[in-house]
């Protein structure tokens, strides 16, 4: 497990911040919603106080020797004679070009099962390569699961005021249940293992968000309430498309949920919200 502290300065009591988890892009798959991805990248780049965290499965990364390989699922540009041998590298190059405008807003990169399969079977760490090509600090490599501590620090006339902290426990995950109830229960289990403000999982290709409240008493005996956010972070891979095929159809998975969730934080008040 990784622990990372990200310090975010701000100046106004009324400022809000957005954290957008971006994962399950599956760039290189013929079903990847490229337009939605481009629109989201532009939104993150243009929107003030907006940051993103990579949730894994950035590209398809399925070589032709992989049992999962199916040429019908591959974007045609990677099937050109000679290029199929370097499909993984070409997918990294293309995705880096897409993400470069928002590289400075990245607060971490998790590793998904598609990245892990390449590392394990082909001895090539695509998460490392992605970070290197984006010129990101290696400290932003979150690997399988991480606690990302967001420290919002306000300054007035050069004086540092008390910080406001949110802990985000995030992982790509491997939740395989097909019902929403199973997935909701699975992410809630994280609260039994880790103390945090926000819990994020990917992999399931759905958007699902829920909040809950914990009652506690502070050191003076005052009753307090702590709001918790739990969310599955969506995807960019379309499953059931006319005149196309995919493993979503072959395995009769539920239709995928295109898009992302947005976490909204107001450090001064400690408030937090999630939207789908």
């Amino acid at each position: 497990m990784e622990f990372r502290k990200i310090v975010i300065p701000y100046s106004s009591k009324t400022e809000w911040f957005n954290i957008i988890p971006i994962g399950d892009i599956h760039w290189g798959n013929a079903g990847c919603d490229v337009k939605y991805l481009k629109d989201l990248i532009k939104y993150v780049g243009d929107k003030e106080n907006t940051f993103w965290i990579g949730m894994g499965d950035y590209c398809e990364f399925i070589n032709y020797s992989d049992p999962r390989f199916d040429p019908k699922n591959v974007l045609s540009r990677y099937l050109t004679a000679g290029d199929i041998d370097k499909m993984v590298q070409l997918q990294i190059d293309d995705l880096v070009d897409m993400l470069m405008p928002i590289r400075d807003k990245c607060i971490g990169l998790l590793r998904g099962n598609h990245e892990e399969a390449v590392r394990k079977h082909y001895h090539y760490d695509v998460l490392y390569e992605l970070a290197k090509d984006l010129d990101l600090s290696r400290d932003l490599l979150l690997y399988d699961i991480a606690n990302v501590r967001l420290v919002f620090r306000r300054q007035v006339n050069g004086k540092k005021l008390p910080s406001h902290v949110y802990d985000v426990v995030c992982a790509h995950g491997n939740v395989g249940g097909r019902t929403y109830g199973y997935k909701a229960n699975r992410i809630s289990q994280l609260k039994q293992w880790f103390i945090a403000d926000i819990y994020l999982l990917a992999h399931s290709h759905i958007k699902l968000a829920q909040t809950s409240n914990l009652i506690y008493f502070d050191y003076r005996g005052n009753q307090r309430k702590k709001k918790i956010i739990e969310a599955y972070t969506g995807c960019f891979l379309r499953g059931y498309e006319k005149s196309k095929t995919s493993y979503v159809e072959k395995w009769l998975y539920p239709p995928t949920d295109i898009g992302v969730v947005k976490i909204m934080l107001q450090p001064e008040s400690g408030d937090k919200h999630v939207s789908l």
Side-chain angles (χ1 to χ4, degrees):
M1 182 172 185
E2 304 297 324
F3 174 80
R4 298 290 183 266
K5 183 170 76 172
I6 308 292
V7 178
I8 302 175
Y10 71 106
S11 57
S12 170
K13 286 184 177 182
T14 61
E15 282 187 78
W16 282 84
F17 291 83
N18 302 315
I19 307 297
I20 298 181
I22 301 178
D24 292 294
I25 297 172
H26 292 274
W27 179 270
N29 188 295
C32 176
D33 194 327
V34 176
K35 183 182 184 306
Y36 192 99
L37 176 63
K38 289 181 177 179
D39 289 345
L40 177 66
I41 290 172
K42 186 177 188 309
Y43 173 84
V44 173
D46 293 345
K47 187 75 170 177
E48 189 177 3
N49 290 347
T50 299
F51 302 88
W52 65 282
I53 180 169
M55 297 297 298
D57 282 3
Y58 308 100
C59 297
E60 193 73 345
F61 294 140
I62 295 179
N63 286 303
Y64 57 82
S65 60
D66 191 310
R68 300 171 297 168
F69 181 79
D70 184 342
K72 292 183 178 180
N73 294 340
V74 180
L75 197 64
S76 59
R77 65 193 294 176
Y78 300 118
L79 294 175
T80 305
D83 284 349
I84 195 170
D85 289 325
K86 50 183 180 292
M87 186 163 53
V88 169
Q89 291 86 347
L90 291 174
Q91 288 178 1
I92 292 174
D93 291 344
D94 289 342
L95 187 65
V96 165
D97 288 342
M98 292 280 290
L99 295 175
M100 190 60 73
I102 58 172
R103 58 169 295 279
D104 291 335
K105 293 190 167 189
C106 180
I107 58 175
L109 295 175
L110 288 159
R111 176 168 58 198
N113 54 288
H114 282 245
E115 287 83 32
E116 175 62 5
V118 175
R119 185 196 69 83
K120 183 176 180 180
H121 298 294
Y122 301 99
H123 319 295
Y124 185 67
D125 191 340
V126 294
L127 187 69
Y128 175 87
E129 292 297 324
L130 186 61
K132 183 186 71 174
D133 291 350
L134 284 169
D135 196 23
L136 295 177
S137 168
R138 302 304 178 270
D139 290 339
L140 296 183
L141 293 176
L142 306 179
Y143 297 106
D144 300 312
I145 185 169
N147 185 326
V148 179
R149 176 162 294 171
L150 303 176
V151 180
F152 292 91
R153 188 168 291 160
R154 187 162 70 93
Q155 292 189 8
V156 177
N157 298 324
K159 181 181 178 181
K160 293 182 179 179
L161 300 178
S163 300
H164 302 272
V165 175
Y166 297 89
D167 278 344
V168 182
V169 168
C170 51
H172 180 75
N174 61 355
V175 178
R178 300 190 182 209
T179 65
Y180 279 77
Y182 176 86
K183 298 177 195 299
N185 290 335
R186 192 75 173 92
I187 194 171
S188 286
Q189 286 181 324
L190 293 179
K191 292 186 296 186
Q192 302 174 26
W193 308 333
F194 308 103
I195 297 174
D197 301 279
I198 300 164
Y199 301 86
L200 301 175
L201 287 178
H203 187 67
S204 291
H205 294 190
I206 65 168
K207 288 186 293 180
L208 178 65
Q210 55 191 19
T211 62
S212 58
N213 290 281
L214 301 179
I215 303 297
Y216 70 98
F217 291 85
D218 65 18
Y219 70 98
R220 291 180 176 175
N222 297 311
Q223 184 172 323
R224 302 293 186 188
K225 187 165 61 174
K226 180 183 176 73
K227 183 178 181 180
I228 304 297
I229 290 176
E230 306 156 43
Y232 285 92
T233 58
C235 76
F236 296 81
L237 180 63
R238 296 194 176 277
Y240 296 91
E241 292 284 281
K242 184 178 179 181
S243 301
K244 295 181 181 179
T245 186
S246 70
Y247 56 78
V248 176
E249 295 181 15
K250 292 176 180 178
W251 289 92
L252 284 181
Y253 289 138
T256 55
D257 204 347
I258 303 299
V260 295
V261 301
K262 181 168 72 171
I263 311 295
M264 293 156 284
L265 306 175
Q266 215 282 334
E268 203 67 27
S269 66
D271 203 1
K272 61 182 85 74
H273 298 281
V274 59
S275 66
L276 297 177

